[in-house]
Amino acid sequence: MASQTLRNSTSETARLPSEITQYSPPGSEFPAKIVEKLKNNLVFRSKWAELNGAMGDLGTFIPIVLALTLAKDLNLGTTLIFTGVYNILTGAFYGVPMPVQPMKSIAAVAISDPDFGIPEATAAGICTAAILFVLGVTGLMQLVYKLIPLAVVRGIQLSQGLSFAMTAVKYIRNVQNFSTSKSGGERNWMGLDGLILALVCACFIVVVNGAGDENDEIETVRGSNEQEEERFRKVERLTKMVSTLPFAFIIFVLGVIFAIIRQPEALKKFRFGPSSIKIMKISKHAWKEGFIKGTIPQLPISILNSVIAVCKLSSDLFPGRDFSATSLSVTVGGMNLVGCWFGAVPCCHGAGGLAGQYKFGGRSGGCVAALGAAKVVVGVVVGSSVVRVLENFPVGVLGVLLLFAGIELGMCSRDMGTKEESFVMLLCTAVSLVRSSAALGFLCGVAAHLLLQLRKIGRNRACSRGVMSA
């Protein structure tokens, strides 16, 4: 009996180390879940499609940062590094191609106003970010998102999409001077930045991508004999092969090659190494001018297009991956409260960038993370000297990329089911476009929605009284 007891205790002791190694405290699962989530968020759904999608936002990013660099001496190297880091972090956090775009209203004021420089733009970005951060942390942004009617959100999206498309057509048709933000004469048909090049790129995208419907089917009638069946299979294979071409990536690479051919001396002006990163010094006057001229017009655009519209669009494009207005507001505020102090351009998310990257094939956070990594590498290796290539990039090609991004964003507004919803959406769109003010369009859309609801309530009461009297 004693020997049996000894053997049992020995076996229990032998098993003890393995049981100890198998046991893990509850908190130890947390890092593993985080790592697993990051892997899922950053994994490429399709290698070429994700790289292709990364090009979808460049139609807005390049013209704005190029104009600020040429007109106001923006530190392009620092901007590339910080926006690249933003791309990587948002891709890892959200798991979808969440864009990082310059704040357009602040950029427009900086380009057009000679007294509004980089310090004023930085102050405007910091003030806008602080307000968005507070709205997000307190939960007020989520409350606003729930109260805004869908038709008004669709109106904002449609106006932004049409605005992108009209700007794109201007890029394609006319010569652009980004340093003054003005259009010149009509673009020549021939040349490395001619109309023919832009039209060929547009046709190439249509042939490869069609209308962007993932469920496109080959409308071919199968034959009754082996020869026709073989012909059908060849057509099917060819169509699938063409549809997998990374068209936007190819177009961007060709644009870079053409930019170098147009100005070979640009390569000689490259200075290797990152630009110097310094903390911005902002005077009291710059804070005042930045808030009045930059923050006030930018804030409604950031709330409506960078947070509200992006929330709705993400739920449309990625069912089951809904993001709260709180998280988007906090990320926009957080990245600018850090980066702007070092001279990076004020940035936000944008429904147009999300639609563009989705249109070109972006489906995961790996799409924007790859774009962010490329930005960081360029910013570290050549810094601001990359502007020598970008200023010779074919503007008509950028216009083509921006055109399809705008169309994709506008097409998200096709789900209005009633005439009343369409009325509110189109009214909001028209006012936003004519006055170039998303805030004014938003107010008109909300007012129209409320009046229609009051009218409906009044008619229902009148009908109920008539029934009771009868």
Side-chain angles (χ1 to χ4, degrees), residues 52 204-205 208-209 242-252 359-361 401:
N52 200 50
F204 178 58
I205 292 177
V208 174
N209 189 246
V242 170
S243 63
T244 57
L245 287 175
F247 54 91
F249 183 74
I250 293 173
I251 289 174
F252 179 74
K359 165 72 176 176
F360 292 159
L401 296 176

Side-chain angles (χ1 to χ4, degrees), residues 41-123:
N41 286 348
L42 295 175
V43 67
F44 276 18
R45 305 290 181 261
S46 172
K47 179 176 67 174
W48 287 115
E50 298 289 1
L51 291 177
N52 200 50
M55 306 296 107
D57 196 27
L58 297 182
T60 54
F61 182 83
I62 291 179
I64 293 176
V65 298
L66 180 59
L68 288 172
T69 302
L70 297 176
K72 298 295 182 177
D73 198 24
L74 173 73
N75 191 329
L76 181 57
T78 300
T79 292
L80 288 174
I81 292 173
F82 274 95
T83 56
V85 173
Y86 300 158
N87 280 131
I88 296 172
L89 294 178
T90 54
F93 182 74
Y94 290 111
V96 300
M98 189 64 69
V100 174
Q101 302 175 326
M103 291 185 177
K104 299 176 184 62
S105 182
I106 293 176
V109 175
I111 295 169
S112 60
D113 190 341
D115 297 325
F116 195 93
I118 297 300
E120 287 77 11
T122 298

Side-chain angles (χ1 to χ4, degrees), residues 413-462:
S413 304
R414 66 185 186 276
D415 62 347
M416 295 290 94
T418 65
K419 192 172 183 179
E420 289 182 353
E421 289 178 332
S422 299
F423 173 79
V424 173
M425 178 188 72
L426 293 175
L427 176 65
C428 180
T429 300
V431 175
S432 297
L433 285 176
V434 173
R435 294 297 303 271
S436 298
S437 172
L440 186 59
F442 166 77
L443 293 176
C444 291
V446 170
H449 174 79
L450 293 176
L451 289 174
L452 290 173
Q453 294 302 312
L454 291 174
R455 181 174 181 270
K456 186 183 294 184
I457 293 172
R459 292 180 63 180
N460 291 338
R461 287 184 176 178

Side-chain angles (χ1 to χ4, degrees), residues 105-106 109 116 124 128 289-299:
S105 182
I106 293 176
V109 175
F116 195 93
T128 304
E289 291 293 301
F291 183 81
I292 295 174
K293 295 182 179 180
T295 299
I296 292 176
Q298 177 64 48
L299 190 59

